[in-house]
Amino acid sequence: MSHTGTEQTEVRLVIDGQSITVPIGTTIFDAARTHGIPIPVLCHQQDITPVGVCRMCVVDTHERAYAAACIRKVEPNARKAKPEDPDLVVETNSENVRAARKTLLELMMADHPTPCVRQQQKKDCELEGLAAEYGATTSPYPHRELTRGRDTTSPIILVDHAACILCDRCVRACAELRDNFVIARQGKGYNAGIAFDLGKPMGSSSCVSCGECMYSCPTGALTNTVSVKHEFKTGTPCETADLMALDVFQHVSGNFLDFNKGAVVKRHFKKGEFFFREGEGSSTAFYILEGLVDMYISTQQAHVHTEEQRGTFSSRMRSKLVNRHQHRRQGEDMGRTHVVVDGGLELPCDQPEGQRGPGALFGEMSCMNAHPHSTTARAATDCVVLEMRRNIVDMLRRNKTFRENLDELYLTHTLELHLRKSPVFSSLTREFIQALRSKVRLVRIAPGEIIFKQGDLADAFYLVRRGFVKVTESCAGGDLVLAYLPAGSHFGEPALLGDGKHMATCSALDNVDHVDLVRIAGEDFKEMIRLFPQVHAELQKVHDEHMRENQKRMANISDVPLAEFLHQGLVEAQSLLVLNLDNCTRCDQCVKACADAHDGVTRLVRDGLRVDNFLIATSCRHCRDPLCMVCPVGAIHRQVTLDVTIDDTCIGCGECAQNCPYGNINLHEFEVTLHGEELAALGAGQAHAKKATVRKATSCNLCNELKEPSCVYACPHDAAHRVTGEEFRDMLKK
Amino acid sequence: MSTSTLLRVLPAEHNTEGVFEELKDIQRQNPLHYLPKEELQRVAERRGLHLRDVHAIASYYPHFHLEPPAKVAVSVCDDMSCHLRGAPALQRRLEQRFHGASPADLSIGNVSCVGRCEHAPSFVVNDCYYDGLSPEEAIDAVVQTIAGHPTSGSSYRARAMNLASDPYDGERPYSVLREFAKSRDRDGLIAKLKAAGLKGMGGAGYPTNDKWTRVRESKSLDKYIVCNADESEPGTLKDRFILTQLPHLVIEGMVLAGLCVGARRGYLYIRHEYQEQEEILTAELNRCAEQGLIGEGILGYADLSFEIVVFVSPGGYICGEETALLEAIEGKRAEPRNKPPFVANVGLWGKPTVVNNVETLAFATAIAAKGADWWNSHGANGFKGLKFVGVSGDVQKPGMYEVPMGIKYSDLIREYAGGPLDGREIIGFAPSGPSSGYLPASMLDLPMDWETLNKAKSMVGSGAIVVCCEGRCMLDMALNSVRFYRNESCGKCVPCRIGSQKLVEILQRWTQGGYKDSDMSVVKELFHALRQTSICGLGQILPKPIESVLEHFKVEVDEHLLNGRCPAGVCFRGDLP
């Protein structure tokens, strides 16, 4: 047993004869999982709270009754005979345990409509799969006499109560993953079941059809009746069954893959072709089926390049003459304002930094971050790859083992690239980085969670691996956002270089996703700057620059109503539609132009918050810290520029609109024509096409297909402007 | 607080507190005596709960009706003692008499044991309890209710009696508490309980001093004492008796426990069928409050505070399982929790909690008053202590008795309960309701002792002794007991939810001539799964009645299975449910 100081932090257990040491409070299931010992389970999913109701994961802990591994935490055993004894001895696969599991499966199979809809369609009913494994396909128990019925009222989900095993996965997914709280258990005992709201049919309940319940369902109780139409410009859409046969999709529900049909395409790349180049943005990731892919990083010139393109409000206005798709907007580079780019040393360029082969996933960081690629990927041989959208990667990442593999890959491949990307660390030697690899800790920060507070004692230096870190400083009236640090940035060093106390509060961006960090302990950091004086000098320069910026900023804000600004979230805005009321004649040309640009449905309302003589119209602000990006199908995402857009895969669940604090996302009904397959799925049965209405969320996309937002373009009085929060503050000062 | 936190409406932890009383009020005031959807919606809005949460609880407890019930709803108890003493005949007679009545006007169904086993059979008409009536008297009670003049049900009031376990005998009650408030001798109190070897009288027999010590050692600022007065196991009568005769000992025990472990609040969790005892307790608590024995600053000591809340159960046997009980107090579906963590660490509202049975708390007070030596001076056949037992079924004088621990079951039945009914021969008995399983007459001479009974694969449990005489079919009794568990299963975990139903179906088949050779290995596998994989004691103990009958009454069972004959002439009649 390991002790740190006097406090015990770890426990030792013996699972099937294998001695395993884990932190106190680790579940038996996780302890076994991390050591490759499989334990069957039906009611447990790694991303939701365990409840231990299906009892499939029972293990023999040599106590009065078996324990459910998913929920049983290992605690220090105060009553063990000798200190060197394990805290818990567990058998996961003894004859008696297997016999009990077989009986449980037979009990469930007795009432299961075999093969259920799920098994028929996707062949991945988890109950039927386990029953086959345990030889429990034919149950010796009498079948349920009365069927529990089907609910066909939802437009996208078929509910077959007969296949429900009361695992509560949908109940928890609905509440914990989506904050929807629609599904719960109803009734008692053998007559218990799941219900929506006050026992309504799913279609008339408050269900928003986000689909999370059917992704979570282990059986055919909840299945999709339709598929979202994802479209890729290139590639062949993959069949659900083909995807499910791949290792990487082992833990992903067939319902999910089928519902998101077309979100994964198969593509062929010839040797030498590029997947993406460093600096390009995309919202897809690649999975290699065949062939080898070289990963390159170029010089730090890319940084210089982007720095040059950093625009101010006026320069952006000027650059409207340039094709929008080619120029970068300011948002992309925010957070790098403190990085001094001076060219630095040459890094080896045009030499592959690594090679990936079949079974590897790449490009996923950029896909998840909606941030430009930090590497260039090029086919080393002819390749066959799967290209997938963000929500697919998101689903893969829910699996802890998958995430741990990504972590491992990161440490072995990417950490070095990551460090070398930054001019500040270019003088580090490969040997040093290799030594560092075993010392760093990969940490995950929940959305909104604070990493450290202003004034806290500094004990580590951080690299941002994925996500955005918000840097705020407390001042009278609230917190002022100093910067948003994207993947590839670093923070925490000013305190380590200075007086040891953090000068600002750092936290994970709210509500979007977790932030993954690399934590380098204070002493390792100090060792690094001792060994590499050049790194020290670079960091010091950044630090000084930082201080100057801050002083400037504080001087700027002193005469602006800061509290109001903070309270209304204006500082978060990347693109406020501001109408100067001195010029505005209320002609509504902006609204009309908006409607014209978007199939007759306006996405802006000429009303909203008034500040001084300005009106902030109700239209998406493209927050840096967006609360809306909670889409279950990945329809709402950020462009490279960090603009927020909603694409046509929207299923109208309204999650985003509900989450937008400013009422800037609206749901509209659109007429569509449905065809045979979709109609059959809805139970309509007619052979002919039929008109129907679908709900879609709409919000300002800054008319990204046009040269500039129509509202601004259409204003005859130069009253409408799109500005960032900071720019608006400057406008107020004038 | 971040914006996202402000934007989300998360249910506050205590929004469900008192929700059952609110639902009961709505149902009582509703002209059709049910909970309409609009009302549930209003409850949700008022409390900031999600609709699904209100529906989840309202649909869980059989006491709540989501559809209007019949104007006159008759529910007959057919569990163990009532089953033995005429419930099936009574129900058949009622069904014959009211055959053809419209379902909106009259319904005849079943209710699980209502704790009136000594006056079996019992039944409920709307919210009025009747017991000990003949079928014709029962018909009369129903007719009167239909006519709008319901007769008053049976009543259960305190009687004058001397009980060895009452240290006061009417004189200066709460002396122990007064003494303790001065001495604060917590170690001494726990040492007394330990010396007396006081165990949990609810059935589990866990040492009381251990429970108290664990919670006492916790550094948590919030702790709770819960008195479990939700006895619902067929044959169990003792808590109602103790709450009626010795309410002061129970309350004093709760306050002592609270002051000893550092809790400031206690819940007395009582089953809703015990309305009279609820009244008795409320009156006693009011008296205590007037005398400064409970509340803020007990007996004038500013640092001693303890309040007691009487919590009326929304109903169901499973609520007697201590974690399910806590879930109910928290206003949720009473589904047992996975353990560990145990309630001494993570109990009510996640805080350390002592859950003690009524009898345990009463005895704790008695031991605190008179000492461990006094406690140990009681007992028979070399065993120590006292026990309240309820004897029901086929005996001359069914009822509640205070007996010495270690008494032989044969002596107990003869000396206290007047011997077997009508001089018949006893063929088997359950020492503690369905949970103890059935023992054969040959084991009647066993002493009532925890270890002895454990060795016999049974238990002293809650002392719910049910006696079966010749003419009874033990396979039928096993089916009856398993059916009770099936009816009361909460449905949370797979083995109990589905296994109980399948076991009932298989046993029903056995009593109707449908035995298959493969059945025996199937049920043995099922017993193993139920015992080992169920979350709580209900599922784990569920096989006990049939297992014990298979072991001790093999000849009779084999007659059923192999020869299609019920030696007692009870089964194969086809008209039993």
Side-chain angles (χ1 to χ4, degrees), chain A residues 51-55 58 63-68 71-73 79 96-97 99-101 103-104 106-108 110-111 140-145 164-166 168 171-172 174-175 179-192 195-200 206 448 510-511 627 659-662, chain B residues 2-4 7-11 37-38 40-41 50-57 59-62 66 214 315-318 333 335 338-340 486-503 505-506 509 516 519 522-523 525-526 528-529 531-535 537 540:
Chain A
V51 288
V53 297
C54 77
R55 315 307 285 172
V58 288
E63 292 157 309
R64 201 168 50 88
Y66 296 161
I71 195 166
R72 173 63 182 277
K73 292 176 176 170
R79 283 178 296 174
N96 284 341
V97 167
R101 286 190 194 135
T103 302
L104 294 173
E106 287 169 344
L107 288 171
M108 285 184 272
D111 291 353
Y141 298 100
H143 298 299
R144 181 186 280 266
E145 281 174 21
C164 175
I165 55 166
L166 274 292
D168 275 7
V171 172
R172 286 169 286 155
C174 182
D179 280 358
N180 277 335
F181 306 97
V182 177
I183 315 179
R185 283 191 170 213
Q186 72 162 347
K188 186 177 177 182
Y190 192 57
N191 295 318
F196 308 97
D197 290 343
L198 293 173
K200 283 189 175 173
S206 62
D510 279 348
N511 222 20
L627 300 174
N659 265 37
C660 172
Y662 315 114
Chain B
S2 70
T3 347
S4 60
L7 287 169
R8 277 183 212 172
V9 187
L10 289 171
K37 283 198 162 50
E38 312 79 71
L40 293 178
Q41 195 155 354
H50 303 288
L51 295 175
R52 63 155 203 173
D53 296 328
V54 179
H55 181 72
I57 53 176
S59 65
Y60 179 80
Y61 297 97
L66 298 179
R214 280 176 178 226
Y317 169 66
I318 194 60
R333 292 162 66 86
E335 294 174 337
N338 275 281
K339 293 167 282 282
R486 189 271 318 265
N487 294 344
E488 293 303 315
S489 167
C490 75
K492 180 174 180 174
C493 68
V494 167
C496 181
R497 181 180 70 242
I498 309 179
S500 63
Q501 173 67 22
K502 301 304 176 196
L503 189 53
E505 288 176 25
I506 291 171
R509 220 173 57 218
K516 288 186 285 190
D519 278 357
V522 169
V523 295
E525 292 290 342
L526 180 55
H528 169 65
R531 245 191 334 258
Q532 289 297 334
T533 73
S534 297
I535 293 180
Q540 292 164 5

Side-chain angles (χ1 to χ4, degrees), chain B residues 399-427:
Chain B
M400 269 307 307
Y401 304 101
E402 184 187 43
V403 301
M405 278 303 288
I407 186 173
K408 289 179 184 170
Y409 284 95
S410 51
D411 291 344
L412 193 160
I413 292 167
R414 194 180 57 250
E415 289 167 22
Y416 290 85
L421 192 63
D422 306 330
R424 288 193 279 171
E425 202 177 315
I426 297 175
I427 57 166

Side-chain angles (χ1 to χ4, degrees), chain A residues 6-17:
Chain A
T6 52
E7 205 181 334
Q8 185 184 349
T9 57
E10 290 185 327
V11 280
R12 188 167 76 84
L13 65 168
V14 173
I15 305 181
D16 299 342

Side-chain angles (χ1 to χ4, degrees), chain B residues 450-462:
Chain B
W450 298 94
E451 271 191 32
T452 310
L453 268 278
N454 284 350
K455 275 185 200 145
K457 290 188 269 180
S458 182
M459 63 176 182
V460 171
S462 60

